[in-house]
């Protein structure tokens, strides 16, 4: 098998986005560990980086690096699916630098200017949009995001329109347009607090439990098409069914955020019923991934990408599905809302569904962007070890937060009289918070192992005979060695 050459030269613009995404990912984890220490050592980094600022940077970096990952994935995937060059590589590069500089200036603003002063300096009085969780960005940054999103969507939409239309590219396009449209609700900030929370959830929930699931499905399907050789028609059918269930359950599942914000009581039923069904598309995604890998018609040499893909489906189901279900029913959520159980669900859901799918695409694409079909066996082994180390670290954090949340509910929420106060309860959770730090440091080690795999040399993998075995490879039986290039 000869060294793989990119099908379309314009796909190279994705490399910039992937590098930026990984750099911001590292920053997010460092701030996360700092936050964990602030739970235990209240004056840690104070007054230089107060807890509220560190948390804001941590969550904003998560959103921004995932957006860089989605954009890079689209710039890599769309030309290959459309069978044509990207409409404007120059526009893609210009938007990259605009987005990166705007994001960096925003983070610097968070860290160096008091938030109230930042709001005053950036014209928040003209259109008051700051101060809400995950949407803390100043008005100029929000406007910049809209400009970058419109330019990005124009670029990939024109590419799709002039080329081949596939289920993968159309689902991805629908998810990306939905992402941009839902973000417009961040500019709506009514004085009525109930309406304000509704519009806020239109962004936050309908991103992560709505349109982002379309992006997730499309990226996962693309990698499986390329690495398994299973007929595209089979994968397309699975993709349609998964996104149909994701939208049916996710849109009305928004109701689980409407339980206690002043909306009519029927949302208790709607939210509970449809939220209880939200694990279904994630379970289907798990079956889909395992089914496609076991039915594969070729042994792709990039075994690391396959491991990340299977990991996405499994951990996405556990985090977004199982951990979401355990506290989504209204009678249960009455006690667990806003506890560390919520934090456990959020961490595992984001990691399993979105962090891993972006890394899956990067793991598949980066070797081809560097002129090879796959990294060396040694590099892939390090990369696969990084998957397990990061996953063990995340599992440690999630189990610690789950234990902390259960104890928090028991001490603070359930007693009808004599309930322990919030701060007194936090003192009882310190053991779990130390375990969370251990998990966070473990995750950081895994992350840097992943980064190190990019710099490990060795003989590039050019045939299936050189492919390393998957960690825990027993779950993925070897298929007949029939080659099929999509």
């Amino acid at each position: 098998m000869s060294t793989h050459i990119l099908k379309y030269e314009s796909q190279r613009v994705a490399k910039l986005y992937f590098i930026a995404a990984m750099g911001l990912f590292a920053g997010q984890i460092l701030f996360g560990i700092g936050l964990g220490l602030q739970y235990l050592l209240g004056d840690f980094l104070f007054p230089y980086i107060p807890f509220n600022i560190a948390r804001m940077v941590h969550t904003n970096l998560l959103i921004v690096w995932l957006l860089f990952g989605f954009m890079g994935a689209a710039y890599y995937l769309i030309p290959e699916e459309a069978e044509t060059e990207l409409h404007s590589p120059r526009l893609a590069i210009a938007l990259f630098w605009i987005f990166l500089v705007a994001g960096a200036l925003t983070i610097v603003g968070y860290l160096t200017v008091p938030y109230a002063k930042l709001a005053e300096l950036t014209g928040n009085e003209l259109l008051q949009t700051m101060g809400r969780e995950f949407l803390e960005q100043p008005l100029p940054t929000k406007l910049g995001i809209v400009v970058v999103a419109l330019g990005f969507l124009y670029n990939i939409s024109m590419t799709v329109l002039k080329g081949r239309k596939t289920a993968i590219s159309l689902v991805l396009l629908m998810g990306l347009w939905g992402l941009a449209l839902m973000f417009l609700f961040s500019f709506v900030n009514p004085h009525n607090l109930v309406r304000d929370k509704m519009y806020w959830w239109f962004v936050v929930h309908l991103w992560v439990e709505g349109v982002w699931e379309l992006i997730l499905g499309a990226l996962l399907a693309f990698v499986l098409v390329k690495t398994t050789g299973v007929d595209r028609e089979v994968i397309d059918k699975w993709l349609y069914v998964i996104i149909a269930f994701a939208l049916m359950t996710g849109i009305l599942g928004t109701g689980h955020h409407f339980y206690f914000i002043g909306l009519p009581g029927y949302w208790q039923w709607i939210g509970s019923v449809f939220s209880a069904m939200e694990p279904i598309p994630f379970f289907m995604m798990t079956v889909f991934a395992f089914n496609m890998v076991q039915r594969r018609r070729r042994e792709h040499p990039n075994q690391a990408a396959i491991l990340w893909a299977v990991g996405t489906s499994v951990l996405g189901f556990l985090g977004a599905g199982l951990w979401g279900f355990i506290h989504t029913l209204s009678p249960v959520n009455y006690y667990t809302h806003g506890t560390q159980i919520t934090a456990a669900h959020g961490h595992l859901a984001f990691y399993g569904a979105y962090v891993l799918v972006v890394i899956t695409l990067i793991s598949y694409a980066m070797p081809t962007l560097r002129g090879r079909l796959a990294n060396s066996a040694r590099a892939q082994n390090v990369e696969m070890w990084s998957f397990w180390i990061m996953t063990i670290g995340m599992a440690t954090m999630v189990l610690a937060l789950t234990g902390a949340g259960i104890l928090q509910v028991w001490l603070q929420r359930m007693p009808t009289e004599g309930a322990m106060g919030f701060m007194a309860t936090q003192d009882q959770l310190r053991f779990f918070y130390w375990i969370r730090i251990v998990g966070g440091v473990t995750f950081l080690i895994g992350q840097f192992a992943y980064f190190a795999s990019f710099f490990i040399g060795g003989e590039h993998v050019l045939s299936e005979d050189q492919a390393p075995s998957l960690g825990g490879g027993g779950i993925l039986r070897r298929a007949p060695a029939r080659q099929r290039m999509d």
Side-chain angles (χ1 to χ4, degrees), residues 57-78:
V57 174
H58 176 64
T59 55
N60 277 228
L61 283 175
L62 168 66
I63 295 166
V64 171
W65 88 254
L66 287 176
L67 292 179
F68 268 107
F70 290 161
M71 294 168 75
Y75 284 134
Y76 182 88
L77 180 158
I78 290 295

Side-chain angles (χ1 to χ4, degrees), residues 127 129 132 135 142-143 145-147 149-150 153 177-189 199-200 202-204 207:
L127 183 60
T129 66
R132 290 177 291 177
L135 304 177
K142 285 191 175 77
L143 293 173
I145 291 172
V146 171
V147 170
L150 288 176
L153 290 169
W177 272 101
L179 185 157
L181 291 173
M182 290 299 107
F183 183 72
L184 295 179
F185 283 102
S186 68
F187 292 93
V188 181
N189 191 2
Y199 294 141
W200 183 75
F202 286 176
V203 182
V204 177
W207 265 17

